[in-house]
Amino acid sequence: MEQNEVMGKVVDILRPFVKNPSALTGISMDTSILKDLKVNSARLVDIVLEIEDAFGIAVTDEAADQVKTVGDAVSLILKTKA
Amino acid sequence: MRRVGNDVVDLEDPAIAQTHLRERFVARVCCESERARVAGSSDPKLLLWSLFAAKEAAFKALSKSGPLVFAHRRFVVAEDLRSVSYLKQVLWLRVDVHGSCVHAVAWTDDEPPIFGVEKLEPGVDASAAARALLIQRLGGGGLTIAREPQPGSWNGYGPPKLFRDGVEVNLDISLSHDGRFVGFAADSSGAEKR
């Protein structure tokens, strides 16, 4: 699976959890899920579960803790699926 | 220094209306014994979010002493909601329910911190409101709160710090907001050690 494809799917997963949709404009690998998209920690748990379902992977607590940016999520998925 | 942490949850947030019924979410947040307590509770929604807020508050307090993995289910909340454990560390805990707001406060020493929670006025910035509430409760007078960037932290910032007339005050504080509520906790030792 290509990085761009994973990135697109991650953005789709994030979309319903982002309170201000305009925050998704210009989203990049460096975008902070918590700070820039203002996703709270409860929603971050939901996002991890959605990623597990969408990509058929299991995300460990340690790996989930490392997900700060969109790029972190994409890297985690690519690494886990490799 | 005594460490404090706090967290608020707005129970009327539509996004969490059915979360207590989602087993995978509960399993991600709760340890096995907590899952059993939630399943057997007469108010599983209130209990789940009380546990969640307690774990968030404990993490905020402990993470000031050094980096640690934030996995909700590794923070174990006592059945009486009076303490929360992480590995070998045990923090004091207080959980209050104000209408549809759960407010959890965790701290590392015997003496309880001061704390408060308030409903957010519509249109007011939540972060600013939490800071204003804390400063008001501490008596104002030249107090300000600032957070420094901290790469690698969960939100890119370090914990909030208290300043009086521009000089950092050695008093641990914690701020939180969720939905229509803001909250705070502050070390009650009172001695401002500059």
Side-chain angles (χ1 to χ4, degrees):
Chain A
M1 190 176 267
E2 296 288 331
Q3 179 174 301
N4 285 347
E5 189 184 349
V6 173
M7 169 84 171
K9 273 186 149 184
V10 168
V11 173
D12 287 342
I13 288 170
L14 290 171
R15 199 179 308 279
F17 298 103
V18 177
K19 286 181 180 170
N20 177 10
S22 66
L24 289 167
T25 306
I27 193 169
S28 74
M29 296 283 272
D30 293 329
T31 299
S32 166
I33 296 172
L34 293 152
K35 189 173 73 171
D36 299 327
L37 301 182
K38 304 203 184 304
V39 170
N40 68 25
S41 55
R43 301 288 77 73
L44 195 55
V45 174
D46 283 318
I47 288 166
V48 169
L49 295 175
E50 294 274 349
I51 285 174
E52 287 187 332
D53 289 345
F55 294 94
I57 60 174
V59 179
T60 65
D61 289 334
E62 286 78 7
D65 184 59
Q66 293 301 310
V67 175
K68 314 288 194 240
T69 66
V70 174
D72 292 337
V74 172
S75 298
L76 165 68
I77 293 159
L78 290 171
K79 188 176 164 187
T80 308
K81 286 193 77 70
Chain B
M1 187 200 293
R2 179 182 305 145
R3 300 297 184 188
V4 300
N6 90 117
D7 192 57
V8 290
V9 174
D10 184 348
L11 294 172
E12 289 191 11
D13 179 353
I16 66 168
Q18 301 296 321
T19 305
H20 59 286
L21 302 175
R22 294 171 46 219
E23 283 184 22
R24 284 181 62 216
F25 185 99
V26 176
R28 192 95 202 176
V29 167
C30 297
C31 67
E32 194 173 339
S33 63
E34 292 166 344
R35 294 203 299 269
R37 283 156 52 196
V38 170
S41 172
S42 59
D43 192 341
K45 179 180 177 182
L46 177 60
L47 179 55
L48 172 64
W49 293 107
S50 295
L51 295 172
F52 186 92
K55 291 160 188 264
E56 291 270 336
F59 171 76
K60 288 178 184 176
L62 288 180
S63 62
K64 295 171 187 172
S65 299
L68 72 162
V69 172
F70 187 25
H72 291 91
R73 56 190 166 192
R74 294 187 189 175
F75 289 79
V76 180
V77 181
E79 199 161 345
D80 61 3
L81 302 181
R82 299 286 300 276
S83 66
V84 53
S85 306
Y86 178 80
L87 301 177
K88 292 180 178 175
Q89 301 176 85
V90 182
L91 290 82
W92 296 94
L93 174 68
R94 178 174 175 136
V95 178
D96 291 296
V97 180
H98 309 272
S100 56
C101 172
V102 174
H103 187 216
V105 180
W107 65 98
T108 59
D109 207 346
D110 286 349
E111 193 178 342
I114 61 169
F115 56 88
V117 65
E118 195 170 80
K119 197 165 185 179
L120 188 61
E121 295 296 328
V124 175
D125 177 76
S127 296
R131 291 173 191 216
L133 177 62
L134 171 56
I135 288 172
Q136 178 207 346
R137 296 290 175 87
L138 290 177
L143 292 173
T144 54
I145 296 167
R147 301 177 73 178
E148 296 169 351
Q150 184 176 299
S153 70
W154 67 277
N155 65 354
Y157 289 101
K161 292 181 178 176
L162 187 67
F163 296 82
R164 184 182 293 281
D165 299 326
V167 179
E168 186 176 345
V169 177
N170 191 18
L171 195 71
D172 196 33
I173 60 173
S174 172
L175 302 169
S176 61
H177 61 83
D178 183 54
R180 300 162 301 143
F181 299 99
V182 298
F184 79 89
D187 181 359
S188 61
S189 61
E192 292 185 8
K193 301 172 278 275
R194 297 191 183 191

